[in-house]
Amino acid sequence: MPDFILNLVSVIIGLGSGMVVSGAVFAFITVVGIVPRFAQKTATHSHCRTYETAITLGGIFGTVASFSQFRLPLGAVVLAALALAAGVFFGSLAMSLAEVLDVFPILSRRGRVQRGIFFFVMAIAFGKLAGSLLYFLLPGFYDAGSM
């Protein structure tokens, strides 16, 4: 009986922790204002609820996919499109956070950079892209055995 109770307590703690973390992630996305910003930039304000639902379902699907062993028979093209969509989302989230924190205006004032902010932002984006490609495509770049 003690093993059952220990397992039950572990499940309750795990579920509670997961709910707290997911609530914090969705609160962060809400505070950053990524959904209204996308709707504003694309002039699709009537689809805000659809965007929010898609983000929520994507989070749920990602969680289930992380803990299960099922495989979807998707081709390389579909997987590349999904990876591109995820990259665009996380890049947009990072840029929205930077915009909320007013990083680039502060950088331009303190660094006395008046022109070229676009190139600075693109350099950051391409640097992240290059790092991700090295990490995922170069064999031996990440050694899981060292952890």
Side-chain angles (χ1 to χ4, degrees):
M1 189 70 169
D3 287 336
F4 174 75
I5 293 174
L6 183 63
N7 289 338
L8 183 64
V9 169
S10 296
V11 166
I12 291 170
I13 290 172
L15 285 174
S17 300
M19 286 184 211
V20 168
V21 169
S22 67
V25 167
F26 288 116
F28 175 70
I29 289 173
T30 302
V31 167
V32 169
I34 195 168
V35 173
R37 189 157 322 225
F38 277 154
Q40 178 185 15
K41 295 289 185 184
T42 59
T44 55
H45 293 287
S46 61
H47 299 290
C48 275
R49 179 144 339 247
T50 305
Y51 296 148
E52 292 166 353
T53 303
I55 290 171
T56 304
L57 291 176
I60 292 169
F61 177 76
T63 302
V64 170
S66 295
F67 291 106
S68 63
Q69 297 294 324
F70 75 92
R71 296 193 182 272
L72 295 175
L74 302 176
V77 174
V78 174
L79 290 176
L82 291 173
L84 179 66
V88 167
F89 174 75
F90 284 112
S92 300
L93 184 63
M95 296 313 293
S96 295
L97 179 61
E99 186 175 322
V100 166
L101 296 175
D102 292 328
V103 170
F104 295 111
I106 291 170
L107 177 70
S108 68
R109 279 193 300 268
R110 298 254 171 103
R112 293 185 177 91
V113 177
Q114 301 303 320
R115 291 194 225 163
I117 293 290
F118 171 78
F119 296 109
F120 180 73
V121 171
M122 294 308 292
I124 292 172
F126 285 124
K128 290 292 289 177
L129 174 69
S132 296
L133 290 175
L134 285 173
Y135 181 83
F136 290 112
L137 298 178
L138 194 63
F141 189 78
Y142 172 73
D143 183 16
S146 65
M147 295 183 91

